[in-house]
């Protein structure tokens, strides 16, 4: 018997093999410098990452969650405020709001783009709403025209959660540069990933940048002088050094992601029973994840697993149904679109280095699953 092919959901090895020498050089340089926190590798990375986003300021921090917390703090969001977040986001978006003492209020996504819209945000606005956190989910940009309009009409601060959309654009402008401030993550599996935890805050507003710089480092305006009740939420030299290397390759890797997505699109488009990702008009998708929807999600996931193909669900439990948020008093049925997505979405393998052969095999396996199922349905109808 031939062995079953193994296609993991995510494999960082091809990327990391490609840049191994550069990464080891970065390690050696920093190791020999004996300077590990707040040094030149961080300032280099901050400059490079700001250029990459075409903004004035980037501030390296310890994680995506921390980047969100610092952005909210810098924006002055506090107890008594409510902040609009998508009902289908990764939990960190909502957690950050809670950590500054505010309350997350959920807006439903569009079922096809998986992103919140001007309309759904409008519905979620309360008297005490101060800010919106749009999430460019799975690498697909939100319609930022609509969102900035609602924000302007209602005097709301916009903090973009750009953890999944490094380098994506809406009308040729990079995500994370529409709102006053934005937060991103360099968790290893993100499009631009460190070799550990990391994140960044990005902004064009100098006062916000200064505040975040102080807050990430004990509130220091200068060493040992605390202007603010700050944190230790810094990005260290090693991670900044590694990120500098990876940033030189990100555009090529993004193109690979987009090419892989186009193979999936092409081979999955005629299968009755699944919906493939939709790309918004005027926007690029950087395919942090390739997420399909099907009513037979759990069976398909199992079928793929048996065939050696790894998949994941992003995300199985929406924030409003998490035990951590039971105190908000929501129950099943309150956000039906988020709940439907949680029950029907499935993320297929997509990473730089995945081959055309791998994708063809995955798509064949999916096709077979639906043919089998459709045949047995026809039989049972007779
Ligand atoms: C990954 C992620 C975060 C959190 O980033 P961490 O670095 O893991 O803390 C926040 N929001 C979204 C949408 C994410 O995907």
């Amino acid at each position: 018997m031939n062995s079953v092919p193994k296609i993991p959901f995510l494999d960082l090895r091809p990327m990391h093999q490609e840049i191994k020498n550069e990464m080891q050089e970065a390690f050696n340089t920093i190791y020999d410098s004996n300077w590990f926190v707040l040094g030149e590798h961080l300032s280099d990375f901050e400059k490079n990452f700001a250029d990459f986003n075409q903004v004035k300021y980037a501030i390296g921090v310890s994680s995506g969650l921390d980047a969100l917390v610092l952005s909210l703090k810098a924006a002055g969001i506090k107890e008594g405020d409510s902040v609009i977040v998508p009902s289908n986001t990764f939990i960190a978006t909502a957690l950050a709001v809670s950590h500054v003492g505010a309350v997350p209020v959920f807006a439903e996504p569009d079922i096809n783009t998986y992103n919140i819209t001007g309309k759904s945000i409008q519905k979620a606005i309360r008297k005490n709403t101060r800010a919106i956190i749009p999430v460019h989910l799975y690498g697909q940009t939100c319609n930022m025209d609509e969102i900035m309009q609602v924000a302007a009409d209602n005097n709301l601060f916009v903090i973009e959660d750009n953890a999944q959309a490094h380098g994506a654009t809406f009308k040729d402008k990079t995500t994370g540069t529409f709102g006053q401030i934005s937060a991103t993550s360099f968790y290893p599996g993100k499009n631009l990933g460190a070799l550990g935890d990391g994140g960044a805050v990005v902004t064009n507003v100098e006062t916000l940048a200064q505040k975040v710089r102080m807050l990430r480092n004990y509130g220091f305006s200068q060493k040992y002088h605390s202007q603010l009740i700050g944190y230790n939420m810094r990005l260290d030299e090693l991670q900044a050094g590694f990120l500098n290397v990876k940033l030189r390759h990100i555009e090529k890797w993004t193109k690979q992601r987009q090419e892989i997505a186009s193979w999936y699109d092409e081979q999955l488009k005629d299968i009755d029973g699944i919906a493939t990702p939709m790309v918004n008009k005027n926007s690029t998708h950087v395919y942090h994840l390739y997420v399909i929807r099907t009513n037979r999600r759990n069976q398909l996931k199992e079928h793929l697993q048996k065939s050696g193909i790894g998949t994941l669900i992003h995300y199985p439990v929406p924030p409003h149904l998490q035990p951590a948020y039971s105190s908000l008093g929501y129950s099943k049925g309150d956000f039906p679109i988020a709940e439907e997505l949680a029950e029907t979405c499935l993320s297929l393998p997509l990473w730089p280095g995945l081959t055309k052969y791998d994708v063809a095999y995955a798509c064949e396996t999916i096709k077979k699953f639906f043919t089998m199922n459709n045949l047995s349905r026809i039989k049972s109808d007779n």
Side-chain angles (χ1 to χ4, degrees), residues 63-65 68 89-90 92-93 135 161 163-164 185 187 190 198 315:
S63 74
L65 173 57
L68 284 163
T89 186
F90 176 61
T93 321
V135 180
D161 181 339
Q164 303 192 357
S185 162
Y187 179 78
K190 299 285 154 84
Y315 299 93

Side-chain angles (χ1 to χ4, degrees), residues 116-119 121-122 132-134 136 142-160 170 173 176-181:
I116 55 173
T117 63
K119 255 198 204 130
I121 291 167
Q122 194 72 50
I132 312 168
I133 310 184
H136 305 292
C142 298
N143 184 327
M144 290 311 294
D145 279 350
E146 282 179 17
I147 293 178
M148 294 315 290
Q149 191 59 52
V150 179
D153 292 346
N154 296 277
N155 199 19
L156 303 176
F157 207 91
V158 176
I159 299 158
E160 293 171 75
F170 177 72
K173 195 165 140 68
T177 65
F178 291 85
Q180 286 83 355
I181 196 165

